[in-house]
Amino acid sequence: MVDERDDRPKGRREDPYSGPETTASFGYEFGSQLSQMAGRSTEEQAAVNALPSGSALLVVRRGPNVGARFLLDSDVTVAGRHPSADIFLDDVTVSRRHAQFLRHGTAFEVKDLGSLNGTFFDGVRIETALLSDGAEVQIGKFRLTFYASRLDLARLAAR
């Protein structure tokens, strides 16, 4: 006699589990909150809390240079593999001039500069995107978390 599910003789199943297969998934917000809680040291938290108005911080979460921090405090900040880039990301998966971070008052956006591998915002390939606190930007192998100034976030919340 043959088991109809996999054409093996009955009684000789290697996998004792015969229930339906399921996959659990969690929304982006849960994952973002979890990574923020688990990933920030007290030193990093202090650096984020000390950000002046109109500035932001990028922290490398995955890829080469894990833990590296980059301050965004000018109107245009270029990230790329070229040694003169404002944010130097030394890996072949990064274009020489890969992306730029643009400041508009107290808001920031990321813009891809025609890179070969693309720029990703929260897992989606983008040309440009407005950044929010805790958002993930991927440039090549580098995954960076964006942290806005706490002063600016408090002003937004007070409105």
Side-chain angles (χ1 to χ4, degrees):
M1 207 178 259
V2 174
D3 188 331
E4 297 169 6
R5 291 176 284 185
D6 59 11
D7 295 330
R8 283 189 272 179
K10 279 192 179 186
R12 303 190 82 197
R13 288 188 55 86
E14 292 155 19
D15 181 9
Y17 178 74
S18 61
E21 291 185 24
T22 60
T23 301
S25 62
F26 301 96
Y28 165 74
E29 290 176 10
F30 175 78
S32 177
Q33 291 171 354
L34 187 61
S35 68
Q36 285 180 26
M37 289 187 307
R40 287 203 302 211
S41 66
T42 54
E43 180 182 316
E44 191 174 291
Q45 183 63 48
V48 170
N49 290 339
L51 288 171
S53 180
S55 66
L57 191 67
L58 290 171
V59 179
V60 178
R61 293 286 176 223
R62 287 177 58 195
N65 302 4
V66 169
R69 295 181 285 199
F70 301 101
L71 180 64
L72 300 177
D73 63 350
S74 62
D75 291 337
V76 179
T77 304
V78 176
R81 190 170 37 104
H82 194 279
S84 66
D86 301 311
I87 298 175
F88 176 56
L89 302 173
D90 191 18
D91 190 83
V92 295
T93 60
V94 178
S95 295
R96 294 179 202 279
R97 287 181 34 88
H98 196 105
Q100 64 184 2
F101 295 88
L102 304 167
R103 179 174 62 179
H104 307 286
T106 59
F108 287 84
E109 76 173 306
V110 61
K111 180 180 180 183
D112 185 76
L113 296 175
S115 65
L116 181 64
N117 292 323
T119 301
F120 294 80
F121 172 72
D122 289 340
V124 177
R125 189 172 183 156
I126 53 97
E127 289 184 27
T128 185
L130 192 59
L131 295 171
S132 57
D133 190 58
E136 181 183 85
V137 176
Q138 182 176 344
I139 298 174
K141 289 182 181 178
F142 295 85
R143 290 191 182 197
L144 307 114
T145 302
F146 172 83
Y147 296 105
S149 166
R150 297 302 173 229
L151 297 171
D152 297 336
L153 290 177
R155 287 186 188 123
L156 282 175
R159 289 183 187 174

